[in-house]
Amino acid sequence: MHSMHLYSGSLLRAYRFHKYAGKYLCRQTSNKATDLMVEELFEGLCARNRTSLARSITLVETSNPDKKKLAQSLLSMVANNLKQQEEERNGAPVSFRIGLSGPPGAGKSTFIESLGKQLTATGHRLAVLAVDPSSSTTGGSLLGDKTRMPRLTVDPAAYIRPSPTRGHLGGVTRSTNETILLCELAGYDVIIVETVGVGQSEISVADMVDVFVLLMPPAGGDELQGLKRGIVELADVIVINKSDGDLVAAARRIQAEYLSALKFVRPRQAGWKPPVLRVSSRSGEGLAELWTALEGYRRQMTADGQLAARRRRQRAVWLWAQIQEAVVAAFRRDAVVSALLPRLEKDVRRGRLPPGAAADRLLD
Ligand SMILES: Nc1nc2c(ncn2[C@@H]2O[C@H](COP(=O)(O)OP(=O)(O)OP(=O)(O)O)[C@@H](O)[C@H]2O)c(=O)[nH]1
Ligand SMILES: [Mg+2]
């Protein structure tokens, strides 16, 4: 409630003034109704209205070009307001963004449910966003099925958004990045972005969060060995789940394995040694300690400016990812390119034409 005054009309007036001045004028007069819709959504978000949040997220997930413009103007208003709030808080971000990844069955849903209930019980407001790297190819959504977080689903201090199926950027949904901002304006101070595995692409969930948590089951196996190396380099905190009952011994063993694997990994954040913690999402044991570790990370990274630097870096990464996506899409749409492409690609596949030469011809 502390920054409620920011939600008053002054910002909206400033925004209107801005838009009336200069080149937005034409669009403003011709699109009054749609601009009204954006302002309504913005005010709804400020008032922490869940329906406005859901509608805003649907808007930023759209692929319709006209609606995309509306989404962009909403997002500009949101980003401006969040920036103001951050300045009011002496640069401290309005939310804590947590990435959570782990193999299928590691217990991610159970973990989010248990940790989430602890968080909302202590006054936090939690948003859970799911990124499903498989949904772009299968069309289905594995994650975010609300049924597996039954208590959180009915918790008024929690908001769960399943994975969208459109607009994947190398395995990560680009709109998720924007959805985070919408949730922040709607007053969610902890944002968990959940995904299965870790993307092979350069862009991953780790590129949109403050801290990247890896959740592992207490089991070894060869696939996990392979999985481990790449992921461990991305992780800021490693959590071994299911450390309960018969599984405690196995969990201890895996914990020791990760600790020794980490000795050879350069930490992602200077001055931060990723801890390896054991928890039981089923009983809740270890979750309070984990939260303390996460808050410690956040405090340390905020104090020495690394968190702000990480967010700045991430914005640049996303700018270039979106440019690349848009440029490639425009290239593919080009009439000459699409006429030439199938034949040239065939020639390249058969080895009749070097890839470089084909690319040059298409780009010409
Ligand atoms: N013993 C024990 N079992 C757990 C714990 N956490 C989760 N499980 C069980 O592990 C299984 C998988 O849990 P989920 O939370 O669905 O795992 P997930 O990572 O979300 O799985 P996907 O969504 O399929 O990727 C379920 O049968 C859970 O009951 C735990 O702390 N201890
Ligand atoms: Mg799950």
Side-chain angles (χ1 to χ4, degrees), residues 97-223:
R97 304 171 183 169
I98 302 170
L100 178 75
S101 190
K108 298 178 294 298
S109 303
T110 314
F111 172 82
I112 293 173
E113 165 107 337
S114 297
L115 181 67
K117 284 308 286 182
Q118 290 195 11
L119 290 175
T120 59
T122 51
H124 290 285
R125 283 166 50 87
L126 169 71
V128 180
L129 312 176
V131 171
D132 181 352
S134 67
S135 65
S136 57
T137 46
T138 61
S141 185
L142 292 171
L143 286 174
D145 56 312
K146 295 185 179 189
T147 51
R148 290 213 249 162
M149 299 179 205
R151 289 183 300 146
L152 218 47
T153 304
V154 295
D155 187 332
Y159 182 82
I160 302 173
R161 181 78 182 187
S163 179
T165 46
R166 291 187 152 283
H168 279 73
L169 198 70
V172 168
T173 310
R174 80 174 241 196
S175 62
T176 301
N177 215 23
E178 301 168 335
T179 299
I180 290 175
L181 301 178
L182 300 174
C183 291
E184 286 174 351
L185 187 61
Y188 294 95
D189 66 321
V190 179
I191 318 266
I192 295 183
V193 184
E194 180 203 351
T195 187
V196 168
V198 165
Q200 266 69 55
S201 57
E202 293 149 56
I203 284 276
S204 77
V205 168
D207 288 309
M208 51 171 115
V209 294
D210 301 327
V211 64
F212 187 66
V213 177
L214 176 64
L215 189 78
M216 295 302 281
D222 287 343
E223 338 89 85

Side-chain angles (χ1 to χ4, degrees), residues 236-283:
D236 301 300
V237 175
I238 296 176
V239 179
I240 315 296
N241 190 32
K242 309 191 189 184
S243 181
D244 49 39
D246 293 347
L247 294 168
V248 173
R252 282 220 169 89
R253 200 171 57 242
I254 300 291
Q255 180 184 33
E257 265 181 41
Y258 274 95
L259 279 170
S260 65
L262 278 171
K263 287 193 190 118
F264 307 103
V265 171
R266 196 166 54 96
R268 263 164 65 83
Q269 300 288 145
W272 178 259
K273 202 171 160 302
V276 183
L277 304 169
R278 278 182 298 117
V279 305
S280 167
S281 301
R282 192 167 275 175
S283 72

Side-chain angles (χ1 to χ4, degrees), residues 297-359:
Y297 169 92
R298 187 193 195 188
R299 216 171 17 250
Q300 185 183 327
M301 296 296 133
T302 306
D304 66 10
Q306 283 199 71
L307 195 62
R310 181 167 174 159
R311 286 194 173 190
R312 279 196 298 273
R313 224 171 25 243
Q314 289 172 339
R315 287 189 202 107
V317 167
W318 280 88
L319 169 67
W320 280 104
Q322 299 208 2
I323 290 173
Q324 275 169 15
E325 195 189 49
V327 168
V328 170
F331 176 78
R332 283 181 179 278
R333 270 198 311 272
D334 182 86
V336 181
V337 168
S338 45
L340 275 175
L341 195 61
R343 192 168 52 81
L344 289 183
E345 192 171 339
K346 203 164 113 197
D347 288 350
V348 169
R349 281 177 191 275
R350 299 220 170 132
R352 284 201 293 252
L353 187 67

Side-chain angles (χ1 to χ4, degrees), residues 10 12 23 43 59 61 71 73 82 85 105 131 205 226 242 275 277 279:
S10 69
L12 278 179
K23 59 180 173 175
E43 285 181 78
L59 186 66
E61 284 173 358
S73 80
L82 289 171
Q85 288 192 50
V131 171
V205 168
K242 309 191 189 184
L277 304 169
V279 305

